[in-house]
Amino acid sequence: MSPSVRLVPAMAAAALLLALTACDDEGAPDTSGARARDVSGAPGVGDPYFPQAGNGGYDVSHYGLTLAYTPDGNRLTGTAVVTARATEDLAAFDLDLAGMKVEEVTVGGATAGFRRDGQELIVRPPGALSDGETFEVRVRYSGSPRTITDPDGSKEGWLRTADGALALGEPTGSMAWFPGNHHPSDKASYDIAVTVPKGLTAVSNGELRSATTADDGRTTFTWHTAEPMASYVATVAIGRYTVTRSATEGGLPVYVAVDPSQVTASRKVLARLPEVMEWAEYNFGPYPFSSAGAIVDRPEDVDYALETQNRPVYPGAPDVETLVHETAHQWFGDSVTPKSWQDMWLNEGLATYAEWLWTEDEGGATAEETFTDLYDHGEDAYEDLWAFPPAKPTSAAHVSDTPVYQRGAMVIHRIRRTVGDDTFYDIVQGWAAAHRHGSADTDDFTAFVEKQAPDEDFDEIWADWLYGEGKPARP
């Protein structure tokens, strides 16, 4: 992997040059030569659960992806243009890319050296980059993109489907189909153009700018996402979708793509999407994006829903609670994104609590009744409910386990019970507004809550419910 800041003695420089000009099966020689001072961006941002995710030394502002996919043979060709700003002097930097064959890398239009080390694509530009300098790196690549198995056993990355493919990225799967700084703390705008064979549709995030069909019948779908997006909620869905385009009463474009086998089963719930969005805006504040929608694939193609930005992905026809959950994520997770995967409960606890609020507003169990039932009998449904506190998963294999969702929602309810409804909704809406299109962590959240309710004591909630081991005492 790319080294951190260090001084290379003169005798070691020759060895370093030999190492950098060597290449593996998927690399090309690095001909830029060794420098006496080799300042490289870190090959990870130090995430406590996924330490290799992301990279140091730069901040990405935009991804321009030009892709072509042929389902027969699972063949993807791509060119990624990554616009970034150096946050330190850089002689080299890393991009995350798992698999694929890299054919060419340029920086600022000039050929750059590169090599591969696991998921790291290590790039050495022809001239060192200065702290604060904006640069453009172009990577041309191809191959059969991988399906990645997460530590918890779930599948992500590039998933082959009955009629195409589905790209899902939580937590690290986006590195299977494009090179980038794949950590939620670095968000960017996107332009994604996907060319697919005749009869297929390519759906992605943001707004569809064009769909152009060539003489051979292949169509290029071009999508634009203006608002900052974490790479783990970027998606490409390729298949024979039934597409519905509409708008909310406020004029927000809504683009829904449904596998034909799921159209009938999905119709009733998807028709409630405008209603759910209106409810969410009332509770959480203005919708943070410029379009909305959904992607519904077959249950056998994917076995979980994901809050992909603008249009969540569903494994078959969703129920209304799942629709509420993934819609709430547009505020909590997509707009306000965790700084690290340890902060996952900020996504899932708030989205799960949105389900409780929806049920309450629909005349079902109140959030207080849901909380009490979960406290008294939760172990019957969730054996691991008290296995660990929501803000301290035990390992990467457990960042999506029950305590993050259900116990996370219980923390939110304890806050509501402590401050009362008026202050609670000020907190929820204020949190979404204060960190709109940004990243935040648990310390940011607890400080924000305490600032909004300075007369309340939250020590017991933080100590016992957020960070405490085991089942807390009855509140």
Side-chain angles (χ1 to χ4, degrees), residues 69 74 146-147 155-169 173 177 203 234-239 241 295-298 301-304 306 308 311-315:
Y69 183 64
N74 189 35
R146 297 178 179 177
T147 296
K155 305 294 184 181
E156 58 165 327
W158 195 264
L159 308 177
R160 299 188 70 178
T161 63
D163 53 3
L166 178 62
L168 297 177
W177 58 282
V203 185
T235 190
V236 169
I238 299 168
Y241 293 107
I295 300 168
V296 181
D297 238 310
R298 306 182 187 196
D301 290 335
V302 59
D303 58 6
Y304 57 89
L306 187 63
T308 43
R311 49 192 52 83
V313 169
Y314 299 99

Side-chain angles (χ1 to χ4, degrees), residues 215-239:
D215 292 341
D216 64 359
R218 293 173 65 84
T219 301
T220 300
F221 295 84
T222 302
W223 294 84
H224 175 68
T225 303
E227 297 90 358
M229 178 167 69
S231 65
Y232 83 92
V233 289
T235 190
V236 169
I238 299 168

Side-chain angles (χ1 to χ4, degrees), residues 262-267 269-270 296-297 299 314-319:
Q262 303 300 310
V263 168
T264 300
S266 298
R267 184 175 291 116
V269 169
L270 293 179
V296 181
D297 238 310
Y314 299 99
D319 56 34

Side-chain angles (χ1 to χ4, degrees), residues 280-331:
E281 285 195 282
Y282 179 80
N283 285 279
F284 310 139
Y287 181 67
F289 302 115
S290 51
S291 66
I295 300 168
V296 181
D297 238 310
R298 306 182 187 196
E300 58 267 30
D301 290 335
V302 59
D303 58 6
Y304 57 89
L306 187 63
E307 61 269 22
T308 43
Q309 192 160 302
N310 306 96
R311 49 192 52 83
V313 169
Y314 299 99
D319 56 34
V320 69
E321 290 78 13
T322 304
L323 190 72
V324 168
H325 185 104
E326 303 305 332
T327 299
H329 270 314
Q330 303 305 300
W331 282 259

